[in-house]
Amino acid sequence: MEKFTTLSGIAAPMDMMNVDTDQIIPKLHLRTIKRTGLGKVVFDELRFNADGSEKPDFVLNREPYRRASILVAGDNFGCGSSREHAPWALLDFGIRCIIATSFADIFYNNCFKNGILPVTVGKDDWRLLLNDAANPKSPGLTVDLEALKITRPNGDPITFEIDGFRRDCLLNGLDDIGLTLQKADKIDAFETVQREQQPWLYAPAPRNKERRCDEPANPVR
Amino acid sequence: MTSPQTLFDKIWQSHVVDVQDDGTAILYIDRHLLHEVLSPQAFEGLRLAGRQLRRRDATLAVADHNVPTTDRRQGIEDPESRLQVETLSINCKEFDVPIFDMLDPRQGIVHVIGPEQGFTLPGTTVVCCDSHTATHGAFGALAFGIGTSEGEHVLATQTLRTSKPKNMRVLVDNPLPLGCTGKDLILTIIGHIGTAGGTGHIVEYVGRAFRDLSMEGRMTVSNMTIEAGARAGLIAPDDKTFDYLKGRPMAPQGAQWDAAVAYWRTLKSDDGAAYDREVWIDAADIAPQVTWGTSPEDVVPITGVVPDPQDAPTEAKRAAMRRSLDYMGLTPGTRMTDVSIDNVFIGSCTNSRMEDLRAAADILRGRRVAAHVDAMVSPGSSIIKQQAEAEGLDHVFIAAGFQWRESGCSMCLGMNPDRVPPGKRCASTSNRNFEGRQGRDARTHLVSPAMAAAAAVRGRLTDVRQLAR
């Protein structure tokens, strides 16, 4: 995962509430088995007509927002499906930071796993940042994760908060699976106790076999 | 003395492996479900890092999202979809994950087969790279959707790193009125608290309305908890839960069954347990529900009208409503029962179980689908399909003019060829009415199975109570 320390870039305004993950990346693009290459179809149905031509009004089809690395989005951004294709597609387009008044829980978690910083700000600060972003001549915003601070084009700072562990992982580009595996002895100990108390959670799983089309289904009462 | 705990507190506490200095927990995961669409990148991650699956006995995979619901012996036509389904089989073989492939007689929608096999058990933690994992909360399991990277973390470590959400209680007193189902109950709740109303919380559903529901109805309620923003919705297990699970292939057997039930009976919130947020609704006020917009919170009773954006409290909400109405092609003030429909879909992890199929068939028996309506039903699992056929329900659906399909996610998200055509309007028993969800420019109205059947017969949104027998 790429580190996130400080980001200066163009911020695109997207003043819509409840933008869901179906809008960020429609289902037809979930057929991929890769993480990359989804930037060209991020926000597909908002961004393109059915014939593939661009919708000129959509913010990411306008200059300078085609080069945006920050998105200033509305309430409850990323609601709906757990598809991690949503942050993958945003990242592949070039978005590294999303600023909103609130995020859906699963999308919020998914961002951190992919080097994207989701920043939650209050309504008043959000309004200021949206207005900054809406000015196409604006030099953009600077987001400093170390200092937990957004700097507006006029130099005014806006502070934000973030969970400490997630911040460390982003700042250092850490693989949290590796960190957890360092606790393998604790996981082993947990399993030993649980197996004693709830042995039914450790029953052998069915073996995979070459499927037979005439195999009878399991009985259902 | 420990202070009184909620059901969620108890399950959480019994799964904490370690707590970090910053309060983040390493939470043990008992059950991990996988499907073909959101797992390939997780397996790829394991492969690249040279890691193994930690527990095959806690993991189960199934092909459901991207499989055809027509004759499967023909294979999958779309090359990308075929590759994705094949990739699941290849990954499961390489990492030795138990799998129900597309042609397995136990195949079905991941959130239907988990309970059906007895893989889902009370008091467990259950995850899947799918937001509707909330379904399993109906069994008193802490079940929630995760992303693919988190799924990779679970495959490798059987744990998740996460901070503890807050407690929320939704109390619904009194029995549901006639004609109302679990679907109408959960749509009412979502309309009440909003699509972000449960964000950051785990919901516990308590009260007569939930106790009265069958396990199928409870699964419908828990399933759509995510549409209110909460990742999990729990219902304390009771005798209905145990009766449902007894004898299932992966449920405990013999002496272990008795020990398990004894433990499961302790899984309820203590008197006086504190919740961060409480919501109360009187079931007596609930009528059959239907959505009018593009968010599950956009819901009204079938006796209602399309709402007017002018009446919304904020400009942001007014703008969202105008956008929704424009997409849906609806005019404020129109009676919901005057809205004509083109498609009907009965299926999805929300409403595709035996009770759902029986309720729809009861409306359809001896009636015909309106001439202009294209209607289909996709049972929640291949076992349910077989059972419905044993009861003759397939004949009822087919005689009425429905297409009787194989099991899968199908037209709920339209990854396979089952889609609502552009501009067409669908009465659907699924869970999301988002823009483009059932197909580009498709218009979705979420309803219960009986309401969907009634809409199919009349060719427009219909109050099922007018057709009930």
Side-chain angles (χ1 to χ4, degrees):
Chain A
M1 185 175 83
E2 198 177 334
K3 290 179 186 182
F4 189 109
T5 49
T6 300
L7 171 70
S8 291
I10 289 165
M14 198 167 177
D15 185 12
M16 278 170 66
M17 61 194 297
N18 300 330
V19 171
D20 58 68
T21 53
D22 276 83
Q23 286 173 309
I24 298 171
I25 187 80
K27 66 234 160 212
L28 287 181
H29 307 303
L30 307 187
R31 291 176 298 180
T32 178
I33 56 172
K34 298 189 165 72
R35 283 178 155 96
T36 51
L38 293 168
K40 59 183 184 293
V41 288
V42 68
F43 295 116
D44 193 2
E45 290 173 20
L46 296 172
R47 197 165 143 213
F48 301 106
N49 293 305
D51 65 6
S53 60
E54 286 187 355
K55 294 183 176 180
D57 290 346
F58 186 67
V59 61
L60 298 183
N61 289 333
R62 304 200 312 258
E63 291 297 344
Y65 306 115
R66 289 175 187 276
R67 291 172 284 126
S69 57
I70 300 168
L71 198 61
V72 182
D75 270 345
N76 196 30
F77 187 83
C79 63
S81 146
S82 64
R83 59 188 70 167
E84 202 161 314
H85 304 64
W88 294 337
L90 289 162
L91 184 69
D92 198 60
F93 179 87
I95 302 289
R96 292 292 314 273
C97 173
I98 305 161
I99 303 169
T101 43
S102 64
F103 292 90
D105 288 336
I106 304 176
F107 177 82
Y108 186 77
N109 287 342
N110 284 341
C111 284
F112 288 100
K113 303 286 184 183
N114 293 284
I116 298 178
L117 173 65
V119 177
T120 309
V121 294
K123 199 87 194 168
D124 293 341
D125 286 339
W126 178 79
R127 182 61 61 189
L128 293 173
L129 293 168
L130 186 75
N131 287 338
D132 289 339
N135 174 8
K137 298 208 162 44
S138 161
L141 302 172
T142 296
V143 182
D144 184 341
L145 180 58
E146 186 86 55
L148 297 172
K149 184 179 76 176
I150 303 168
T151 306
R152 297 180 54 209
N154 67 2
D156 285 356
I158 288 174
T159 57
F160 61 90
E161 289 175 13
I162 219 127
D163 167 281
F165 176 74
R166 286 172 164 150
R167 177 165 166 263
D168 282 351
C169 284
L170 269 189
L171 282 173
N172 300 303
L174 291 179
D175 163 16
D176 62 354
I177 297 179
L179 292 176
T180 301
L181 285 173
Q182 291 172 10
K183 309 264 182 179
D185 54 335
K186 294 199 171 183
I187 302 172
D188 291 342
F190 178 93
E191 286 175 342
T192 303
V193 173
Q194 194 195 43
R195 186 194 285 264
E196 186 129 321
Q197 292 173 341
Q198 298 181 61
W200 57 86
L201 297 180
Y202 293 79
R207 304 309 309 187
N208 289 335
K209 53 193 166 192
E210 293 307 311
R211 185 200 47 74
R212 302 197 322 265
C213 293
D214 58 348
E215 188 176 7
N218 287 312
V220 168
R221 289 156 308 123
Chain B
M1 263 291 284
T2 52
S3 55
Q5 288 184 306
T6 65
L7 172 59
F8 163 54
D9 292 335
K10 291 180 186 182
I11 301 177
W12 177 274
Q13 191 179 308
S14 67
H15 287 84
V16 173
V17 171
D18 194 30
V19 181
Q20 306 295 109
D21 294 340
D22 64 0
T24 311
I26 296 182
L27 193 72
Y28 195 79
I29 301 301
D30 298 318
R31 294 288 183 256
H32 186 188
L33 290 154
L34 298 163
H35 62 79
E36 74 278 23
V37 175
L38 302 187
S39 68
Q41 295 87 353
F43 284 114
E44 182 66 11
L46 286 187
R47 197 176 285 123
L48 288 173
R51 290 174 177 141
Q52 299 294 314
L53 170 68
R54 186 175 173 92
R55 271 189 69 188
R56 79 178 301 274
D57 60 327
T59 312
L60 180 61
V62 66
D64 62 353
H65 278 58
N66 203 357
V67 296
T69 56
T70 47
D71 183 2
R72 290 183 176 152
R73 309 276 144 93
Q74 308 298 317
I76 302 175
E77 198 178 336
D78 175 69
E80 277 186 295
S81 299
R82 189 171 61 238
L83 176 63
Q84 195 168 54
V85 173
E86 284 171 354
T87 299
L88 180 71
S89 292
I90 292 166
N91 285 332
C92 287
K93 191 163 189 182
E94 180 181 341
F95 290 91
D96 195 24
V97 177
I99 177 178
F100 299 166
D101 68 18
M102 184 172 83
L103 289 169
D104 193 293
R106 299 162 297 181
Q107 180 274 345
I109 304 173
V110 64
H111 307 307
V112 176
I113 62 126
E116 187 172 79
Q117 292 295 320
F119 184 71
T120 304
L121 296 172
T124 56
T125 46
V126 182
V127 297
C128 175
C129 295
D130 190 286
S131 60
H132 292 111
T133 308
T135 311
H136 311 265
F139 291 81
L142 175 58
F144 52 92
I146 56 176
T148 298
S149 296
E150 289 177 307
E152 183 184 336
H153 192 283
V154 176
L155 288 171
T157 71
Q158 208 58 43
T159 68
L160 272 179
R161 284 176 178 263
T162 179
S163 46
K164 191 182 176 195
K166 293 176 182 167
N167 275 287
M168 176 168 176
R169 186 169 84 146
V170 174
L171 170 64
V172 183
D173 279 330
N174 291 319
L176 282 171
L178 212 62
C180 290
T181 65
K183 185 63 161 286
D184 304 295
L185 177 54
I186 187 63
L187 283 172
T188 302
I189 293 166
I190 297 163
H192 188 83
I193 67 177
T195 188
T199 302
H201 292 76
I202 302 296
V203 173
E204 182 180 354
Y205 296 107
V206 295
R208 172 77 188 270
F210 305 106
R211 280 201 305 278
D212 283 358
L213 290 176
S214 66
M215 288 314 295
E216 280 97 333
R218 293 179 189 179
M219 282 188 260
T220 301
V221 168
S222 291
N223 171 277
M224 286 190 74
T225 306
I226 186 65
E227 312 312 334
R231 286 170 78 183
L234 278 64
I235 297 173
D238 60 12
D239 285 330
K240 279 186 193 174
T241 320
F242 312 143
D243 288 346
Y244 178 97
L245 288 171
K246 192 163 191 187
R248 301 272 169 189
M250 298 184 189
Q253 317 284 336
Q256 287 202 358
W257 170 260
D258 297 333
V261 171
Y263 169 62
W264 296 341
R265 286 194 191 282
T266 69
L267 295 171
K268 53 188 172 196
S269 291
D270 297 327
D271 290 340
Y275 294 84
D276 301 285
R277 190 169 166 211
E278 299 202 46
V279 172
W280 177 81
I281 291 169
D282 186 347
D285 297 338
I286 296 176
Q289 301 284 304
V290 58
T291 60
W292 55 264
T294 55
S295 166
E297 71 181 10
D298 298 339
V299 66
V300 288
I302 185 66
T303 50
V305 299
V306 177
D308 192 333
Q310 300 291 358
D311 300 333
T314 64
E315 180 46 39
K317 185 67 189 160
R318 283 192 286 277
M321 283 179 75
R322 281 193 294 267
R323 184 187 167 87
S324 282
L325 291 177
D326 182 51
Y327 181 87
M328 293 296 290
L330 293 173
T331 311
T334 307
R335 280 198 302 251
M336 291 311 295
T337 49
D338 286 344
V339 175
S340 90
I341 53 133
D342 312 293
N343 292 72
V344 170
F345 173 63
I346 297 177
S348 85
C349 57
T350 309
N351 279 127
S352 61
R353 299 174 181 86
M354 280 311 300
E355 176 180 283
D356 301 319
L357 302 187
R358 288 184 191 127
D362 281 347
I363 297 295
L364 293 172
R365 210 166 267 118
R367 293 185 171 124
R368 287 282 307 166
V369 170
H372 68 279
V373 171
D374 194 352
M376 66 176 280
V377 51
S378 173
S381 71
S382 301
I383 291 175
I384 290 173
K385 178 169 184 267
Q386 194 179 54
Q387 188 179 356
E389 288 170 353
E391 291 184 16
L393 300 188
D394 55 330
H395 293 298
V396 176
F397 282 107
I398 291 165
F402 269 77
Q403 297 176 56
W404 179 251
R405 296 290 192 92
E406 298 295 329
S407 168
C409 299
S410 183
M411 202 183 272
C412 172
L413 86 166
M415 272 199 74
N416 72 354
D418 305 340
R419 277 174 225 141
V420 177
K424 297 293 185 186
R425 193 179 293 285
C426 182
S428 178
T429 67
S430 55
N431 41 57
R432 288 192 175 132
N433 50 349
F434 295 159
E435 287 181 24
R437 172 80 180 180
Q438 293 193 287
R440 189 174 184 123
D441 296 325
R443 295 160 169 168
T444 302
H445 294 275
L446 302 176
V447 289
S448 74
M451 285 279 284
V457 169
R458 290 270 176 92
R460 54 187 163 79
L461 297 174
T462 297
D463 188 336
V464 65
R465 294 170 296 190
Q466 295 174 355
L467 293 183
R469 299 184 253 231

